[in-house]
Amino acid sequence: MTENPAASGVPFSALNSRIVTTRPVAARIWNYWLGGRDYYEVDRKAGDEIRRLHPSILDYARADRQFLRRAVRHLAADVGVRQFLDIGAGLPTAENTHEVAQRIAPDSRIVYVDNDPLVLVHARALLTSAPEGRTDHIDADVRDVDSILEQAASTLDLGRPVALMLLDVMAFIGDDEDPSGIVRRFLDALAPGSHLMLSHTITRPDLYEVDTAVAWWNAHGTPRLTQRTPQTVARFFDGLDVLDPGVVSCSRWRPDDPDGSDQEEVAMYCGVGRKR
C-alpha cells in the first residue's frame, strides 16, 4: 500500500493545531450526514439545524456521493481513465475515489487535495492504495492551481488524460474570485481526453428551503457558500464535450436503477465533460 507519508511535508502536530473546533466546518458536516464519525459536537448541531431548515439535505449529500461512484466507475471502466485529481475530497467515507477506480483498474493513480487539516490527518491513515497503483494527498486550496498541478505531477502524468474532480467545491468560491477561470486553468494544463467531473449546489425560485439553509450556514459556518443557477453551473463545462445526460440533478446522472427518470430531483447539479 502506498501513501504520501507527509501530505506535502506538513507534520501531524501542525495539522492538528489548525483544526477548528469552535465553528462548524463543511467537510465535517458532510461526513456526519453521510454516516461518518469524524466530526465534532459543533458540526452535529449545525448539521441538525440545517436539516431542520431543509429536511431534504441528506438526499443531496447521498446523491452527490452516488454521482462520484457512478462517474468514476464510468470513466475507469468505459473510458479507460487511470488518473484522478480529486480536489476538495472531504473526509473519507465509503466508496472513495481510489476504492471505486482501483476496484476496476488496480493501477489507477489518485491524488486527493484538501486544505482542511482533519481531512488530511484522516487521509494519511485511511486513503491507502492498491499495490499496483498509488494514492497521494496534497494540502492545498483549490485556488492554488499552480501549486496543486506542480505537486500532483509527482504522482500523475499530466501529459496523459486525467479526471479533474471538483465535487461541491466551486460553491465555496465567490463570484469575485473567478471560479470559471480557476476551472479553466486546471483544464488548460491537462491533456486532451481529460475529463471534468463537477457538482454544485443550485438556487432556483422554487427552492426557498435551500436558500434559507444556505443563509443560515453563511452566518454560522465556514467556508462561505455561493449558490448558482443550473445555467451558471453548466457554464463550467463551456468548451467541453458534455457526456449524456448533460448537466442535471445528481440523482439523475446515469442512475443505477432502470427507471432513473423518476428519480427525485435534488438541488445539487452535476456533469461530466471531456476535453477535446
Side-chain angles (χ1 to χ4, degrees):
M1 297 182 182
T2 303
E3 294 183 40
N4 180 345
S8 301
V10 182
F12 278 108
S13 58
L15 290 174
N16 285 330
S17 69
R18 287 166 44 193
I19 295 174
V20 176
T21 60
T22 56
R23 293 191 69 184
V25 174
R28 301 193 309 238
I29 292 177
W30 210 251
N31 181 265
Y32 169 55
W33 284 336
L34 289 171
R37 296 180 295 176
D38 301 313
Y39 55 86
Y40 294 95
E41 182 68 9
V42 66
D43 305 306
R44 185 192 64 77
K45 289 181 177 178
D48 289 344
E49 177 62 16
I50 294 171
R51 287 177 62 186
R52 185 187 70 79
L53 295 170
H54 183 37
S56 299
I57 190 66
L58 284 185
D59 295 334
Y60 301 3
R62 292 167 183 151
D64 189 55
R65 198 69 183 180
Q66 290 163 2
F67 165 64
L68 180 153
R69 176 179 55 80
R70 295 195 300 267
V72 169
R73 183 179 64 195
H74 169 70
L75 293 179
D78 301 330
V79 181
V81 174
R82 294 294 179 266
Q83 303 188 108
F84 297 83
L85 180 57
D86 188 347
I87 301 178
L91 283 156
T93 56
E95 295 291 89
N96 298 292
T97 299
H98 74 284
E99 294 171 321
V100 179
Q102 292 183 345
R103 187 181 305 132
I104 295 164
D107 60 334
S108 295
R109 294 185 165 222
I110 295 88
V111 172
Y112 291 102
V113 182
D114 211 292
N115 66 343
D116 185 301
L118 188 63
V119 171
L120 292 163
V121 168
H122 283 76
R124 295 186 193 182
L126 300 176
L127 297 179
T128 56
S129 174
E132 301 92 332
R134 187 172 176 183
T135 300
D136 281 342
H137 320 95
I138 296 174
D139 177 10
D141 186 279
V142 67
R143 300 169 183 85
D144 303 329
V145 177
D146 294 339
S147 176
I148 290 173
L149 290 169
E150 180 181 358
Q151 293 181 70
S154 66
T155 299
L156 307 178
D157 180 356
L158 301 186
R160 300 174 58 198
V162 173
L164 170 65
M165 300 174 58
L166 295 167
L167 272 60
D168 201 30
V169 176
M170 301 314 294
F172 296 106
I173 305 297
D175 289 334
D176 60 340
E177 299 178 277
D178 190 17
S180 293
I182 291 173
V183 176
R184 181 55 51 193
R185 286 172 62 196
F186 277 112
L187 289 171
D188 285 348
L190 301 181
S194 293
H195 287 72
L196 170 65
M197 284 175 52
L198 183 143
S199 65
H200 198 298
T201 184
I202 65 161
T203 185
R204 208 170 49 200
D206 59 318
L207 298 174
Y208 66 92
E209 286 186 351
V210 178
D211 295 342
T212 300
V214 168
W216 186 92
W217 170 257
N218 285 341
H220 298 88
T222 186
R224 185 176 177 82
L225 184 66
T226 297
Q227 294 168 276
R228 296 184 170 97
T229 65
Q231 294 79 13
T232 304
V233 174
R235 293 191 193 116
F236 283 111
F237 295 90
D238 285 352
L240 304 178
D241 296 325
V242 179
L243 278 58
D244 290 336
V247 180
V248 297
S249 167
C250 285
S251 59
R252 295 179 176 173
W253 198 90
R254 306 192 180 194
D256 293 321
D257 61 299
D259 194 18
S261 62
D262 290 337
Q263 290 281 337
E264 183 175 352
E265 180 160 307
V266 298
M268 181 75 71
Y269 267 46
C270 68
V272 179
R274 181 182 185 277
K275 180 179 177 179
R276 300 185 185 95

